[in-house]
């Protein structure tokens, strides 16, 4: 039976894919006929673990260890992946985020008591990381003369705002604006660019944090129409759809996947 969500052999790069949401996106893409998945993470062991999972399930993957805030390192990783799989990247999922590879210990302070060196933990990975990876894949994606997909995982913090997370919200909103402009520039090459805005998602790390604080979890979930945290699968389903050949006429959009925490017009 044909797979409406097939990647039809396109090579994918998923950043921050060593755990959590990115891991599940990498597994989903590999299971739907990716020609290969470059599993990026700053932590090599994590990336390699996901590569092993994909290979055990019969898919193709390599680990791409680098910090996405380093443009030269990102370009080298993309080149290595393209050589390994014999074709340019056709799907980029910018997922690496949160506070990045080396969070500044002062991030918890009010942002007005700190400065750009601290804010950069958020801006670096969530905005420059997205721009670096996108810049690295676009030349090859255009040269393929075939459908291409740019997908960025943002947060409802970037659509709706989130108290005490101003630099993070700024970076995520910036990434969504960047995707919209990419959509306008690259539509003529059959390349689409969209963002997925997620809310509380029970990755293993988030689950561990919440298990110790059931009262906070209860109060948080009161704001969700579907009263549970999201799962990595909830997010990966949307990423797969946007990466597949089922979505060629969808571009420049931000899709909330958030249990109804906020609603888009
Ligand atoms: N989990 C949530 O509740 C939630 C909510 C809103 C948005 N998000 C966003 O969803 C995405 C995935 O979140 P998650 O909770 O699964 O993440 P996570 O923190 O569990 O995992 C992120 C992975 O990215 C890697 N990474 C971090 N900085 C990197 C860098 N500079 N270069 C390369 N790799 C790097 C980490 O090593 C880690 O393995 C992020 O963009 C995050 O901002 C998550």
């Amino acid at each position: 039976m044909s797979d409406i969500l097939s990647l039809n052999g396109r090579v994918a790069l998923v950043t921050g894919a060593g755990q959590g949401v990115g891991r599940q996106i990498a597994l989903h893409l590999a299971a739907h006929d990716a020609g290969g998945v470059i599993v990026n993470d700053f932590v090599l062991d994590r990336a390699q673990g996901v590569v092993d999972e994909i290979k055990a399930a019969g898919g193709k993957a390599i680990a791409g260890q680098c910090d996405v805030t380093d443009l030269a390192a990102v370009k080298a990783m993309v080149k290595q992946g393209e050589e390994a799989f014999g074709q340019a990247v056709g799907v980029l999922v910018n997922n690496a985020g949160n506070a990045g590879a080396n969070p500044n210990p002062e991030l918890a302070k009010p942002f007005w008591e700190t400065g750009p060196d601290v804010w950069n933990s958020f801006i670096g990975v969530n905005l420059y990381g997205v721009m670096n990876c996108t810049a690295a894949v676009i030349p090859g994606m255009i040269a393929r003369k075939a459908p291409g997909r740019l997908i960025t995982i943002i947060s409802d913090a970037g659509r709706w705002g989130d108290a005490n997370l101003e630099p993070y919200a700024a970076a995520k909103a910036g990434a969504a604006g960047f995707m919209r402009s990419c959509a306008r520039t690259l539509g003529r090459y059959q390349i689409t660019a969209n963002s997925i805005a997620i809310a509380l998602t029970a990755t293993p790390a988030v689950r561990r944090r919440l298990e110790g604080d059931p009262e906070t979890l209860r109060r948080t979930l009161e704001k969700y129409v579907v009263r549970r945290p999201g799962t990595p699968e909830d997010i990966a389903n949307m990423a797969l759809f946007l990466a597949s050949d089922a979505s060629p006429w969808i571009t420049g959009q931000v899709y909330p996947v958030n249990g109804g925490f906020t609603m888009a017009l």
Side-chain angles (χ1 to χ4, degrees), residues 100-145:
N102 291 303
N104 189 302
E106 296 197 5
L107 266 186
K109 288 186 176 173
F111 85 93
W112 56 86
E113 290 179 9
T114 61
D117 52 331
V118 175
W119 306 340
N120 204 42
S121 285
F122 285 131
I123 309 284
V125 66
N126 292 289
L127 182 56
Y128 279 115
V130 170
M131 294 173 72
N132 287 341
C133 294
T134 307
V137 302
I138 280 179
M141 220 180 250
I142 290 175
R144 288 176 68 244
K145 296 193 187 334

Side-chain angles (χ1 to χ4, degrees), residues 13-39:
L13 164 60
V14 186
T15 69
Q19 66 179 26
V21 170
R23 165 184 168 272
Q24 193 60 50
I25 293 172
L27 295 176
H28 265 47
L29 299 186
H32 287 266
D33 198 24
V37 181
I38 307 167
V39 179

Side-chain angles (χ1 to χ4, degrees), residues 4 30 36 39 53 67 93 95 146 149 160 192 196 213 230-231 263:
I4 195 175
V39 179
E53 281 187 86
D67 183 335
V93 184
N95 166 81
R149 300 283 186 265
W160 203 247
T192 65
I196 303 172
D213 192 355
T231 64
M263 297 187 189

